[in-house]
Amino acid sequence: MPHRRYGGATAIGLMKTGLTQGHSPAETLAEHFSLIPALIGYTGGSLGETSELLILAGGVWLLHRKVITWHIPVSLLGTVFVLAAFAHLANGERYPGPLFHLASGGVMLTAFFIATDYVTSPNSRTGQLIFGAGCGLLIYVIRTFGGYPEGAGFAVLLMNAATPLIDYYVKPRIYGRDRKGRPLELENSRHDRR
């Protein structure tokens, strides 16, 4: 029997609608979401909401080519995973698990391709970890408690606005200087002067 393809709301939109109608996440997930089809792209959604494995492969390629660093993607995905896991453990009837959050919507695309933009992300590694964690926190809060089902775009925009503040307080060490900006003292340079 051939498999029918049809248009409709994405799993994350259906989850939000199901919760407002009093259905538990387990009921909605059983009817509208399956992890394997979401990972391979056999699910409804726009670009970035389908085939999470291909998006992950593209992100790993960018990491391998040193186009991006691991700091923002890992902290963003880790924050979403941890928050979703804690909420699901606290009340599994109300909050879907972490794999649902990672495999639905644009979280993977945001982690590897949107939040890592050079111009709008912090300069230091610590700042990038803060930036990624802030994006993950906002994505989870908007998805879970907001009226909008996704939240990735809003999260990145809000954290982009916070980037100058992050860069102000978390400055990278300048080459040849310590964290306070003083020049590094080298023993060999003192002996060479004599």
Side-chain angles (χ1 to χ4, degrees):
M1 185 159 94
H3 183 49
R4 294 184 188 161
R5 293 181 154 236
Y6 57 90
T10 61
I12 199 162
L14 291 169
M15 176 65 69
K16 182 65 79 172
T17 303
L19 288 173
T20 59
Q21 294 175 347
H23 301 292
S24 73
E27 293 171 343
T28 306
L29 287 176
E31 188 176 341
H32 300 291
F33 179 77
S34 182
L35 184 61
I36 300 301
L39 290 175
I40 61 174
Y42 207 67
T43 184
S46 61
L47 177 67
E49 292 182 304
T50 62
S51 189
E52 303 302 327
L53 288 179
L54 289 177
I55 292 171
L56 182 62
V60 169
W61 178 252
L62 290 177
L63 289 167
H64 171 71
R65 299 288 300 180
K66 298 190 186 327
V67 175
I68 62 173
T69 62
W70 62 268
H71 302 88
I72 292 174
V74 168
S75 63
L76 191 152
L77 295 173
T79 301
V80 170
F81 185 89
V82 167
L83 291 173
F86 280 139
H88 185 69
L89 287 173
N91 186 357
E93 288 297 315
R94 174 77 175 110
Y95 304 109
L99 293 179
F100 170 77
H101 283 282
L102 294 181
S104 64
V107 173
M108 289 286 209
L109 185 75
T110 300
F112 289 106
F113 297 97
I114 298 172
T116 56
D117 179 47
Y118 297 132
V119 177
T120 58
S121 60
N123 295 321
S124 68
R125 291 180 178 148
T126 305
Q128 290 174 358
L129 290 170
I130 294 168
F131 180 84
C135 285
L137 172 72
L138 289 171
I139 288 170
Y140 185 76
V141 166
I142 292 169
R143 279 181 166 195
T144 305
F145 304 110
Y148 191 67
E150 180 51 66
F154 294 131
V156 172
L157 285 174
L158 289 170
M159 289 308 295
N160 284 346
T163 296
L165 188 65
I166 295 170
D167 279 340
Y168 180 79
Y169 286 107
V170 184
K171 295 179 181 164
R173 185 177 70 82
I174 298 170
Y175 184 74
R177 297 186 177 267
D178 65 9
R179 290 272 176 210
K180 294 183 180 178
R182 297 182 301 244
L184 294 175
E185 288 289 329
L186 300 175
E187 290 187 31
N188 293 339
S189 63
R190 284 190 226 155
H191 294 295
D192 293 338
R193 291 183 202 158
R194 294 181 188 171

